[in-house]
Amino acid sequence: MVSTTTGSEIAARQQRLLIPRLSLMMFMQFFIWGSWSVTLGLVMTQHNMSLLIGDAFSAGPIASILSPFVLGMLVDRFFPSQKVMAVMNLAGAVILWFVPGALVAENGALLIGLLFGYTLCFMPTLALSNNIAFHSLASSDKSFPVVRVFGTIGWIVAGIFIGVTGIASSTAIFTLAAICSVALAIYSLTLPHTPAPAKGMPLKVRDLFCADAFALLKIRHFFVFALCATLISIPLGTYYAYTASWLADAGVSNVSTAMSFGQMSEIVLMLVIPLLFRRLGVKYMLLVGMVAWFVRYALFAMGMNDESRALIYMGILLHGVCYDFFFVVGFIYTDRIAGEKVKGQAQSMVVMFTYGIGMLLGSQISGALYNRLIAGQGTAQNWATFWWIPAIAAAVIAVLFLFTFKYRDEAV
């Protein structure tokens, strides 16, 4: 009787600590990502590799295409998600440790190779952390945004930290990320057990190709979502790859801190998502996020002059609407649509479409635009042209989504 009571007390305590534990996971994961990716372009410019920025930011998208799907199958059928996450973070830490050497040597091929290897390890953890959270939380619509907001806080803290310590444009950002990756690998082993839901079931050829996850595309509204998520991630690739370089050209002194304002807006908007779900529903939450991308890039295009500098910060502050309303809501929507046995694969599929195919196209297209319009001649007019292109693209995608996405929240 005593042991039963003790066990119940332990279970109750673990339940109370569930959201804080998952929140710390998100904080650490996005601190690592934010500590090196925001100012990667600046660091490469410091080491005479500015022409390779587009290729460097293509490493993550390619990794997102190749690795998360396979790992999605592994966590659905073979291994607990938290253990796979630990292994991925530890392997990533080892690779990150060697990146500063490639930068100092100005070895572009080695740098791209290391970044590719690292992102092969890191990008799958975006789906893994979602899988762990959705499995553990009783009401994902209400609780997931609360957990996910700590990822945003982690990104903000990382940006402010590297800015305040003066390492934003140095190779030390990768050393910091490596140390934190080891810490997250250890912490992952303490996360809630997230077993493979289909463990023990016979493995078929269709499982190797994640056919059950792809079968979700037969659902018309999910197909439209997947298509538009891929397309809207093309302009997103432009933001991640070149905003830091653009802000420096625009005369913004502390780039990492300025960009962190966008994540600060995420905090507020992330917390109101559960309330807006009831009023707007999935479709209009996603649509508002897509329209915000158009508005943001239009503000960037018009904000190069000293008189219109405030438009730059307005555009940065829109990041919360851009990211939360489309990507966070998109992950919640995917969790609703996917069956219990393919949720890991489904989350990985969204990562593949967005951070993979979409951002790969975005990095390559924006890289070509940068080399043609900006490199060596970064005038205000050229930067304006550079930003109007993704602005118009985002507007077209939003219109496409508005008229083709047919989903009723009460249907699921």
Side-chain angles (χ1 to χ4, degrees):
M1 184 70 175
V2 175
S3 60
T4 303
T5 304
T6 302
S8 300
E9 291 176 350
I10 293 174
R13 190 181 305 114
Q14 289 177 338
Q15 187 62 33
R16 287 195 300 271
L17 293 175
L18 178 61
I19 289 182
R21 291 168 66 196
L22 296 173
S23 298
L24 180 57
M25 169 190 71
M26 289 290 185
F27 178 93
M28 296 176 71
Q29 181 179 41
F30 281 82
F31 182 95
I32 293 167
W33 197 7
S35 66
W36 68 267
S37 66
V38 173
T39 57
L40 171 60
L42 286 179
V43 178
M44 292 180 67
T45 301
Q46 293 287 329
H47 292 84
N48 303 311
M49 297 185 191
S50 61
L51 295 179
L52 294 176
I53 293 175
D55 292 329
F57 277 91
S58 295
I62 294 173
S64 296
I65 295 171
L66 297 178
S67 61
F69 238 142
V70 175
L71 281 170
M73 181 194 69
L74 291 179
V75 300
D76 279 339
R77 287 191 165 272
F78 299 107
F79 304 108
S81 294
Q82 77 278 7
K83 292 185 178 180
V84 177
M85 190 159 172
V87 172
M88 292 294 98
N89 277 288
L90 186 60
V94 174
I95 297 172
L96 281 173
W97 192 260
F98 294 97
V99 172
L103 284 162
V104 172
E106 297 184 4
N107 188 331
L110 178 59
L111 173 66
I112 301 300
L114 288 172
L115 289 175
F116 177 65
Y118 171 69
T119 51
L120 275 174
C121 298
F122 179 81
M123 298 310 287
T125 67
L126 298 176
L128 288 171
S129 61
N130 286 347
N131 199 43
I132 293 169
F134 284 125
H135 175 80
S136 305
L137 296 170
S139 177
S140 60
D141 288 7
K142 297 178 180 179
S143 302
F144 181 72
V146 177
V147 170
R148 177 57 183 78
V149 76
F150 281 88
T152 300
I153 294 172
W155 187 287
I156 293 170
V157 173
I160 294 175
F161 181 81
I162 65 175
V164 170
T165 56
I167 65 172
S169 60
S170 76
T171 60
I173 58 175
F174 292 99
T175 304
L176 172 66
I179 294 171
C180 293
S181 292
V182 174
L184 180 54
I186 296 171
Y187 180 68
S188 295
L189 296 175
T190 72
L191 291 171
H193 181 56
T194 308
K199 186 173 182 178
M201 293 181 64
L203 183 64
K204 303 176 183 177
V205 175
R206 62 181 283 110
D207 298 323
L208 298 175
F209 294 96
C210 301
D212 290 333
F214 274 113
L216 294 175
L217 296 175
K218 295 179 181 178
I219 304 173
R220 187 175 184 276
H221 57 79
F222 189 80
F223 174 79
V224 171
F225 164 74
L227 175 63
C228 290
T230 303
L231 294 176
I232 203 67
S233 296
I234 297 175
L236 175 65
T238 306
Y239 175 79
Y240 282 135
Y242 290 104
T243 301
S245 299
W246 168 66
L247 289 174
D249 278 2
V252 176
S253 56
N254 195 331
V255 171
S256 63
T257 301
M259 291 185 68
S260 71
F261 292 150
Q263 278 68 44
M264 292 178 189
S265 71
E266 271 192 54
I267 295 176
V268 177
L269 291 161
M270 194 90 69
L271 295 176
V272 301
I273 282 178
L275 300 175
L276 293 177
F277 246 122
R278 301 172 196 160
R279 296 179 177 273
L280 298 179
V282 168
K283 177 174 182 176
Y284 290 102
M285 292 279 284
L286 294 171
L287 181 63
V288 169
M290 299 173 80
V291 171
W293 283 106
F294 161 72
V295 177
R296 150 181 270 189
Y297 289 138
L299 290 172
F300 281 1
M302 297 184 290
M304 283 297 291
N305 299 322
D306 291 337
E307 301 81 20
S308 56
R309 182 62 54 84
L311 297 180
I312 292 178
Y313 293 98
M314 290 173 61
I316 291 174
L317 287 171
L318 272 175
H319 184 73
V321 183
C322 296
Y323 188 88
D324 294 351
F325 279 44
F326 192 85
F327 289 94
V328 176
V329 172
F331 284 127
I332 295 173
Y333 160 74
T334 301
D335 184 67
R336 285 184 175 187
I337 299 303
E340 187 64 35
K341 294 181 180 179
V342 294
K343 285 191 175 184
Q345 292 181 38
Q347 293 292 339
S348 296
M349 181 166 63
V350 174
V351 170
M352 183 194 75
F353 285 141
T354 55
Y355 292 105
I357 297 172
M359 287 191 64
L360 173 61
L361 292 172
S363 297
Q364 288 297 308
I365 292 171
S366 62
L369 289 172
Y370 178 86
N371 292 342
R372 180 180 181 86
L373 296 172
I374 310 299
Q377 51 177 346
T379 65
Q381 183 58 47
N382 288 349
W383 272 116
T385 302
F386 179 86
W387 288 118
W388 273 119
I389 293 172
I392 294 170
V396 172
I397 297 164
V399 172
L400 172 67
F401 179 82
L402 173 63
F403 290 106
T404 58
F405 184 77
K406 310 292 184 183
Y407 170 75
R408 300 178 63 185
D409 291 86
E410 65 268 23
V412 177

